[in-house]
Amino acid sequence: KQEVTQIPAALSVPEGENLVLNCSFTDSAIYNLQWFRQDPGKGLTSLLLIQSSQREQTSGRLNASLDKSSGRSTLYIAASQPGDSATYLCAVNSGYSTLTFGKGTMLLVSP
Amino acid sequence: NAGVTQTPKFQVLKTGQSMTLQCAQDMNHEYMSWYRQDPGMGLRLIHYSVGAGITDQGEVPNGYNVSRSTTEDFPLRLLSAAPSQTSVYFCASSWGQGQETQYFGPGTRLLVL
């Protein structure tokens, strides 16, 4: 059974810092890995999708890496802003487009 | 495109009542799925479908029923609501099995008293 772990569970940083969120998974037989953002009381917004054959993806200030063999992914956020405050979820697709989620990292960026 | 829509946004039920959570997508996606999100548990897969007429169970299927008669719609039925089913329910869809981004609906908040 696939299990996904996210570390840390919560993170508080001052505005402007670069930060790294970590995700690990137990079964390397994945199709892809996706990072989502969730604001309180809201739905999920897809940030980045990394295919199993890729090593990284970038979108603006966000960069996600994937090391499938070691079962690890990182989400790097550059020059953090208060608007980045949200919960970040990592999810792996092991087939049939069904996702196994981590419990998330709650990020607070203070002005 | 409306994307993935869910109705209702919020619902209160009494124990033992039944109801259907609606999910629809207008992107012609073959793959659809239902998740529930609970504090401390994250999102867990309830049921999924790989096309019209084809459904299968996920991690937490007990107490829920699904059917997929059209590509667009994937309703989730609670047969006899229990307080343990109090949760936020999300529907998701994607075009392909493993290459595509998953799109999520806005969620339905369900409170079972």
Side-chain angles (χ1 to χ4, degrees), chain B residues 22-65:
Chain B
Q22 300 291 345
C23 174
Q25 51 87 13
D26 61 358
M27 298 173 281
N28 203 30
H29 285 171
E30 288 294 324
Y31 293 78
M32 298 185 74
S33 48
W34 277 101
Y35 299 84
R36 59 178 289 174
Q37 185 175 33
D38 303 292
M41 300 295 294
L43 282 100
R44 293 177 292 169
L45 180 68
I46 305 172
H47 283 286
Y48 65 98
S49 170
V50 299
I54 307 170
T55 64
D56 205 347
Q57 297 181 350
E59 181 183 355
V60 289
N62 293 339
Y64 306 95
N65 197 6

Side-chain angles (χ1 to χ4, degrees), chain A residues 1 31-32 34 36 38 40-44 46 49 51 89 93 95-103, chain B residues 31 33 35 37 40-43 45 48 50 59 90 94 96-102 104-106 109:
Chain A
K1 176 187 172 186
Y31 282 87
N32 57 51
Q34 201 164 351
F36 293 90
Q38 186 176 32
K42 302 295 184 181
L44 281 70
S46 179
L49 173 74
Q51 301 296 348
L89 298 168
N93 179 351
Y96 301 112
S97 277
T98 59
L99 300 178
T100 303
F101 283 85
K103 294 181 180 180
Chain B
Y31 293 78
S33 48
Y35 299 84
Q37 185 175 33
M41 300 295 294
L43 282 100
L45 180 68
Y48 65 98
V50 299
E59 181 183 355
F90 290 100
S94 68
Q97 177 174 190
Q99 307 302 315
E100 301 294 325
T101 297
Q102 295 261 348
F104 278 77
R109 292 184 176 274

Side-chain angles (χ1 to χ4, degrees), chain A residues 4-13 19-24 35 73-75 77 86-90 102-108:
Chain A
V4 180
T5 303
Q6 291 188 243
I7 295 173
L11 182 63
S12 181
V13 300
L19 55 100
V20 175
L21 308 182
N22 296 290
C23 172
S24 62
W35 283 93
S73 177
T74 62
L75 179 66
I77 302 177
T87 294
Y88 291 81
L89 298 168
C90 168
K103 294 181 180 180
T105 294
M106 186 180 302
L107 173 65
L108 177 63

